[in-house]
Amino acid sequence: MITLQNERFVVRVNESLGGEITQIDVDGVELLAQWDSPVVLTQSSRYSKERHDWLSEYRGGWQLLVPNAGSECEADGVNHPFHGEWSRTQVSIVERSDTLLRMRAGTRLPIVVEREISLESNPLRLKLTTTVQNSSYEATSFVWGEHPAFKAQLGDRIDLPVASVMDGEGNNLGQWPLSGDTNPLNVVGAELPVESVHFITNVGKGWAALRRADIGVALAWDARDFPHIWLWRENGSKGFPFFGRASLIAIEPASSWPGTGLSEARKRGQAFTLSARESRSTVVSLVPFMATDFPVTDVSINGNIEFGS
């Protein structure tokens, strides 16, 4: 593990798993979900399914999904594993200090990814800068997404921009936050078990917030890069790999929906194309804030948060 630290943040990164962020500690409070999973693929044999292989290493945290997100698929004559191989790749460290880590790795496509994690103090934020470059002389396309899973407890609330909410079958359920629903998506309830994925599509602005009882956490990003949000709720579901141990909310900025993989995203016109030697960069910010009953109404990438009444 690589540790980054400033006066309030402690962040740990696993360079053997695509720079996965395994811990974000703010003033002694942990933000990310964590648990012990079954035996990992590298210490056992394959699970026979790409999804299970990926989940064998999954212990919560925050991953980058690229050049595939969601289901295993085939594109450009090569198989792309569940959630893309970058999140399971040994990265090369390009630069490192107490508050900054820059890493780099290739993918199965002619795409090279560089990812920078930096801790900033004024305002307090964790800044993720990701650059995807086409290293070939032919056009190629990809999808990407951020995959942070936060600890969640009964009564925690989720604030998102007003946008359409779709279920996994592509049905439009209405506008966020689906007011009047007996089991609202924006409140962590006591019902067990819960495992659901919803898609908040075509958001006008890229932001989200989780108002936890101990400390709030806000995210901000460029909606041109991530126009959709995958909202994954997991609380006590049975079976592999959680076995009732996990309680989390994953708020995932994504370039495509649903989670059917790169091949389907290309058909839906949701993949990003890079011409020869072209690159594309994006920034995502995580901003902690004091616990509050006031809803978050906006978050900027530079760390400013607005609250409603």
Side-chain angles (χ1 to χ4, degrees):
M1 293 292 175
I2 295 174
T3 300
L4 305 178
Q5 188 168 358
N6 66 8
E7 64 275 15
R8 296 185 63 189
F9 270 123
V10 176
V11 174
R12 289 191 169 87
V13 179
N14 189 340
E15 62 182 299
S16 68
L17 290 179
E20 172 183 298
I21 302 173
T22 63
Q23 179 180 0
I24 303 176
D25 183 295
V26 181
D27 298 333
V29 179
E30 178 56 44
L31 301 184
L32 297 178
Q34 300 170 335
W35 63 88
D36 294 326
S37 281
V39 62
V40 299
L41 171 66
T42 51
Q43 297 176 358
S44 180
S45 57
R46 284 203 59 192
Y47 281 73
S48 79
K49 294 181 180 180
E50 291 280 359
R51 183 175 183 271
H52 288 174
D53 287 346
W54 194 91
L55 287 171
S56 76
E57 302 268 10
Y58 185 61
R59 284 157 171 77
W62 185 336
Q63 300 78 28
L64 169 68
L65 312 183
V66 66
N68 186 42
S71 301
E72 172 188 7
C73 68
E74 183 171 314
D76 296 342
V78 63
N79 184 72
H80 295 270
F82 177 77
H83 276 351
E85 73 275 9
W86 208 87
S87 62
R88 292 294 178 262
T89 296
Q90 174 76 41
V91 300
S92 298
I93 304 303
V94 177
E95 183 180 355
R96 178 180 175 183
S97 70
D98 289 343
T99 60
L100 183 142
L101 178 66
R102 184 177 298 118
M103 50 203 156
R104 183 180 177 91
T107 70
R108 296 184 185 186
L109 295 177
I111 281 177
V112 176
V113 181
E114 187 166 285
R115 180 123 158 130
E116 180 182 287
I117 303 173
S118 61
L119 308 182
E120 300 186 352
S121 300
N122 189 22
L124 184 69
R125 67 168 174 162
L126 185 154
K127 179 183 176 184
L128 299 174
T129 304
T130 303
T131 300
V132 175
Q133 182 183 34
N134 179 3
S135 62
S136 77
Y137 292 94
E138 299 178 356
T140 190
S141 60
F142 69 97
V143 292
W144 56 2
E146 300 285 350
H147 194 271
F150 300 106
K151 283 185 177 180
Q153 296 181 338
L154 178 65
D156 290 350
R157 291 182 173 270
I158 304 164
D159 298 322
L160 299 177
V162 175
S164 295
V165 180
M166 317 294 286
D167 66 15
E169 304 300 320
N171 300 308
N172 191 331
L173 303 180
Q175 295 289 297
W176 180 268
L178 300 179
S179 57
D181 195 311
T182 56
N183 294 301
L185 295 180
N186 65 332
V187 180
V188 178
E191 65 273 17
L192 286 171
V194 170
E195 184 177 14
S196 67
V197 178
H198 293 81
F199 305 97
I200 293 80
T201 60
N202 299 307
V203 297
K205 296 194 68 176
W207 67 269
L210 177 61
R211 287 184 282 136
R212 309 192 323 177
D214 48 9
I215 188 172
V217 55
L219 298 173
W221 63 90
D222 191 332
R224 292 171 296 183
D225 297 316
F226 303 117
H228 314 293
I229 300 169
W230 297 7
L231 181 64
W232 172 32
R233 301 190 306 160
E234 163 62 48
N235 188 18
S237 68
K238 300 179 181 180
F240 178 88
F242 309 114
F243 299 109
R245 298 169 296 176
S247 179
L248 64 87
I249 296 293
I251 303 172
E252 309 171 31
S255 61
S256 62
W257 81 277
T260 48
L262 172 60
S263 180
E264 289 298 315
R266 286 178 173 180
K267 295 176 183 178
R268 294 165 64 94
Q270 295 178 343
F272 291 129
T273 298
L274 296 176
S275 59
R277 315 297 290 181
E278 184 183 9
S279 63
R280 182 172 184 140
S281 296
T282 194
V283 173
V284 176
S285 291
L286 177 147
V287 186
F289 60 93
M290 293 181 61
T292 178
D293 290 330
F294 295 106
V296 174
T297 57
D298 198 11
V299 186
S300 68
I301 290 176
N302 64 12
N304 294 321
I305 303 176
E306 296 181 10
F307 297 91
S309 58

